[in-house]
């Protein structure tokens, strides 16, 4: 990748964390302010960034429009939407939709809980591969050789005492997930959150997405989160049927 493109992407990533001054962005790139300014002016012309009256830079409307187009191109998101909205309304809990791409699992839709406790997750955020239920679903569906290759590259960051910490343990967990047809995150990513997930399959029979229900333990204990599994499985079967799955019994 060219240095200019790399630097432009670094600027956009930095602005994704919040507004920044020219001086701050030049420091991030380790370049002179005039170099950073030239990049920012090009990004402004494309409406990917904008500068406010206080001379601070923000992500621009052009980038938002591009992200919306990217989401619209995901047919499974449109297919899943009415079912996940109903699941969210029926359970009152946070519902996610995630997909696997390029070795990463990314949230592509989210329906917030009706409760005041909110999840940190957002559309476009990557899900950890070793301790989130949606990632377990999608990795478990990979061909065995690819599954092992991906697991070997996982950085096993420890988030809670329940976090899986070795490739062997994760592979064993993925075997279990593949056999039972659903996955859980039992306080593995956040100590106060429990989550269950299930696959969504298309006409090929492969898992093209994973849907999940996530619940803080102050709202429901772990055992009651598991009681939501039949509703989740019914929703994913219905989405799979709409997506053309030859068998919606997974």
């Amino acid at each position: 990748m060219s240095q200019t493109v790399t630097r432009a992407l670094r600027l956009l990533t930095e602005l994704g964390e919040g507004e920044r001054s020219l001086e701050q962005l030049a420091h991030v790139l380790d370049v002179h302010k005039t170099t950073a300014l030239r990049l920012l002016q090009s990004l402004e012309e494309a409406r990917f960034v904008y500068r406010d009256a206080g001379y601070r830079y923000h992500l621009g409307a052009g980038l938002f429009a591009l992200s919306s187009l990217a989401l619209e191109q995901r047919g499974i998101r449109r297919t899943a939407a009415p079912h996940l909205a109903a699941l969210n309304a029926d359970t009152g809990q946070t519902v996610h939709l995630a997909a696997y791409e390029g070795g990463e699992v990314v949230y592509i839709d989210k329906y917030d809980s009706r409760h005041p406790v909110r999840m940190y997750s957002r559309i476009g955020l990557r899900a950890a591969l070793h301790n989130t239920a949606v990632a377990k679903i999608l990795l478990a569906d990979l061909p065995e050789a690819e599954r092992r290759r991906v697991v070997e590259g996982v950085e096993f960051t420890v988030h809670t005492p329940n976090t899986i910490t070795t490739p062997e343990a994760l592979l064993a967990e993925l075997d279990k997930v593949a056999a039972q047809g659903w996955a859980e995150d039992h306080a593995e990513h956040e100590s106060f959150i429990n989550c269950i997930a299930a696959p969504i399959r298309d006409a090929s029979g492969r898992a093209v997405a994973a849907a999940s229900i996530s619940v803080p333990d102050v709202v429901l204990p772990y055992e009651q989160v598991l009681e939501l599994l039949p509703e989740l499985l019914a929703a994913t079967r219905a989405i799979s049927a709409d997506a053309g799955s030859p068998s919606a019994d997974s």
Side-chain angles (χ1 to χ4, degrees):
M1 191 180 297
S2 75
Q3 187 178 58
T4 299
V5 173
T6 300
R7 285 174 172 172
L9 292 174
R10 182 70 184 90
L11 289 176
L12 294 175
T13 301
E14 183 68 19
L15 290 174
E17 300 297 322
E19 63 180 47
R20 298 287 189 270
S21 67
L22 174 61
E23 290 78 8
Q24 289 173 315
L25 293 172
H27 177 73
V28 165
L29 296 182
D30 192 24
V31 297
H32 193 273
K33 286 192 293 184
T34 55
T35 301
L37 182 60
R38 285 197 297 271
L39 285 169
L40 288 164
Q41 287 172 334
S42 295
L43 291 170
E44 278 188 283
E45 289 176 8
R47 297 173 62 243
F48 287 163
V49 304
Y50 80 91
R51 187 180 62 179
D52 64 23
Y55 293 93
R56 296 184 67 82
Y57 290 87
H58 308 252
L59 292 180
L63 196 61
F64 300 149
L66 199 61
S67 66
S68 295
L69 289 172
L71 288 172
E72 288 174 9
Q73 290 173 15
R74 294 180 176 274
I76 196 61
R77 185 173 183 262
R78 292 192 300 273
T79 302
H83 300 284
L84 297 185
L87 181 64
N88 169 252
D90 291 343
T91 64
Q93 308 303 335
T94 301
V95 172
H96 291 107
L97 181 67
Y100 179 82
E101 56 180 40
E104 296 179 337
V105 173
V106 181
Y107 293 110
I108 61 174
D109 213 347
K110 178 184 180 183
Y111 297 80
D112 281 313
S113 165
R114 70 168 67 108
H115 303 286
V117 181
R118 289 288 186 263
M119 303 280 296
Y120 82 97
S121 57
R122 64 179 184 273
I123 297 173
L125 191 70
R126 292 190 296 267
L129 296 180
H130 62 303
N131 59 7
T132 59
V134 288
K136 291 177 185 178
I137 286 291
L138 294 166
L139 294 187
D141 194 67
L142 295 175
E144 185 174 355
E146 185 178 357
R147 185 194 303 180
R148 288 185 174 275
R149 179 185 61 77
V150 172
V151 168
E152 287 171 2
V154 169
E155 182 178 349
F156 287 88
T157 303
V158 177
H159 293 104
T160 78
N162 291 350
T163 300
I164 292 173
T165 58
T166 67
E168 296 76 17
L170 180 55
L171 287 169
E173 177 76 358
L174 296 179
D175 285 340
K176 175 184 174 183
V177 168
Q180 69 186 13
W182 60 278
E184 66 178 341
D185 159 12
H186 183 14
E188 296 171 46
H189 189 260
E190 294 180 281
S191 59
F192 58 94
I193 299 287
N194 291 300
C195 180
I196 51 175
I200 294 169
R201 303 184 185 279
D202 67 3
S204 71
R206 304 299 300 180
V208 292
S212 69
I213 299 175
S214 301
V215 189
D217 56 16
V218 296
V219 175
L220 287 178
Y222 167 69
E223 293 76 15
Q224 290 185 30
V225 175
L226 293 183
E227 292 175 5
L228 299 175
L229 185 59
E231 290 181 74
L232 173 64
L233 292 174
T236 54
R237 282 195 296 267
I239 299 167
S240 297
D242 285 355
S245 172
S247 175
D249 59 358
S250 53

